[in-house]
Amino acid sequence: MIAGGHLLLQDVPGVGKSTLAQALGQSIGASYSRIQFTSDLLPADILGVNIYEAATGEFRFRRGPIFANVVMADEINRASPKTQSALLEAMNDRRITIDGMTWELPDPFFVIATQNPIEYAGTYPLPESELDRFQLCMGIGYPDVEAERRILTERPVRQHSINLQPVASVQQVLDAQTAVDQVTVAPAMLDYVLAFARATRSEALFEVGVSPRGAIDLLKAVRAWALLQGRTFVVPDDVKTMAPYVVSHRILRRGSRKGASRADIDRIFEQVPAPA
């Protein structure tokens, strides 16, 4: 969020993706909306629609749930590609266009989406162009024994979500985003990020490497991670830490629709010398 991007949570059903997204949305004192993606969802259900008012003889735009600071797109890959594409302009340009009219989205604007693996029934794989709009993609995984014991014995998780109080304001998020932009990236570190991105494009194992947008998102994520570690400058370990979450879903392996694994990313880093 403070890096100014969007997050995709990808994992099997029932591990808490939606609960995590909802909790994060409620933890910010900002506008929040949740969109349940289904096969019959239409673009107008997300963006909004112009409604004719007989009393005035004019059309009035009714805003859709996309007009919020934090938007939760639940099970995004259950909607049709046409509906998925409705998010492209919103996520990339922070605005939408309806019937020739452009509407600006609020600032900050953060989409946190969840999706089930593409092998599950009733899902449509997100196209590469839309995956590229997500700055980070990660899973949650199954909880350890003690964590799952607490889940089973404590009161229902949904009760915790209902009672959550905001712990940060919109202005605090904007201030954090400004602080991220001020984190120093030395020329040698910038060359390191560029060398890594270009190495993914020449790797024989990959059909598609990291795009320039992906390199920009990696640099933003690295700056945000450095700030969260209490530093005002970036080090090589920051790049190695964030790269798997930023680039794995953007890379397409040859002969497969699957992205790069952590081992694939480590292999690329072995080819790119880190600055001293």
Side-chain angles (χ1 to χ4, degrees):
M1 182 183 291
I2 67 172
H6 307 288
L7 171 65
L8 178 63
L9 294 174
Q10 178 174 278
D11 216 320
V12 297
V15 294
K17 300 187 300 296
S18 300
T19 301
L20 175 60
Q22 181 182 7
L24 182 57
Q26 293 183 357
S27 296
I28 307 298
S31 56
Y32 166 76
S33 66
R34 177 183 182 275
I35 307 171
Q36 179 62 55
F37 279 67
T38 58
S39 59
D40 59 348
L41 191 72
L42 298 176
D45 297 327
I46 300 174
L47 305 180
V49 64
N50 282 313
I51 299 177
Y52 180 73
E53 293 185 337
T56 61
E58 298 178 347
F59 284 91
R60 179 175 59 85
F61 180 62
R62 176 178 293 177
R63 298 188 176 195
I66 196 69
F67 286 88
N69 294 114
V70 181
V71 177
M72 175 186 169
D74 203 8
E75 296 187 301
I76 188 173
N77 61 332
R78 291 200 179 278
S80 67
K82 179 180 180 180
T83 302
Q84 292 174 6
S85 66
L87 289 175
L88 290 179
E89 183 184 13
M91 294 175 64
N92 191 61
D93 300 329
R94 304 297 201 272
R95 63 173 181 261
I96 64 168
T97 303
I98 302 291
D99 294 338
M101 293 290 294
T102 299
W103 302 83
E104 300 292 332
L105 295 174
D107 190 23
F109 177 67
F110 176 61
V111 174
I112 176 169
T114 70
Q115 77 166 354
N116 298 321
I118 60 174
E119 295 83 2
Y120 278 62
T123 61
Y124 299 85
L126 293 178
E128 287 76 12
S129 60
E130 187 158 344
L131 283 173
D132 203 38
R133 261 66 173 186
F134 286 100
Q135 185 180 45
L136 283 87
C137 176
M138 60 181 61
I140 295 179
Y142 292 108
D144 58 35
V145 174
E146 289 305 316
E148 193 161 11
R149 185 187 305 276
R150 291 180 58 189
I151 292 173
L152 295 177
T153 56
E154 292 184 357
R155 60 178 178 165
V157 175
R158 192 162 300 279
Q159 288 185 248
H160 292 287
S161 299
I162 293 173
N163 297 324
L164 283 178
Q165 297 298 318
V167 296
S169 66
V170 169
Q171 189 57 51
Q172 286 175 313
V173 173
L174 294 174
D175 290 344
Q177 291 180 347
T178 300
V180 167
D181 293 336
Q182 295 172 350
V183 172
T184 301
V185 180
M189 287 304 309
L190 182 59
D191 291 341
Y192 186 48
V193 172
L194 285 171
F196 169 78
R198 297 184 70 86
T200 65
R201 301 167 193 167
S202 59
E203 171 59 47
L205 185 65
F206 303 147
E207 182 176 338
V208 176
V210 177
S211 67
R213 183 191 290 117
I216 293 172
D217 279 350
L218 177 57
L219 190 60
K220 289 181 179 179
V222 166
R223 278 176 153 158
W225 179 254
L227 183 68
L228 291 175
Q229 305 311 303
R231 285 184 276 103
T232 58
F233 57 91
V234 170
V235 299
D237 282 347
D238 297 331
V239 181
K240 293 181 178 179
T241 297
M242 297 307 300
Y245 305 110
V246 178
V247 307
S248 294
H249 62 292
R250 305 172 190 267
I251 294 174
L252 188 63
R253 292 173 60 98
R254 291 192 182 277
S256 172
R257 285 199 56 85
K258 293 185 177 180
S261 65
R262 185 175 290 270
D264 294 333
I265 302 301
D266 291 340
R267 176 180 173 182
I268 297 297
F269 276 117
E270 290 174 358
Q271 303 173 20
V272 181

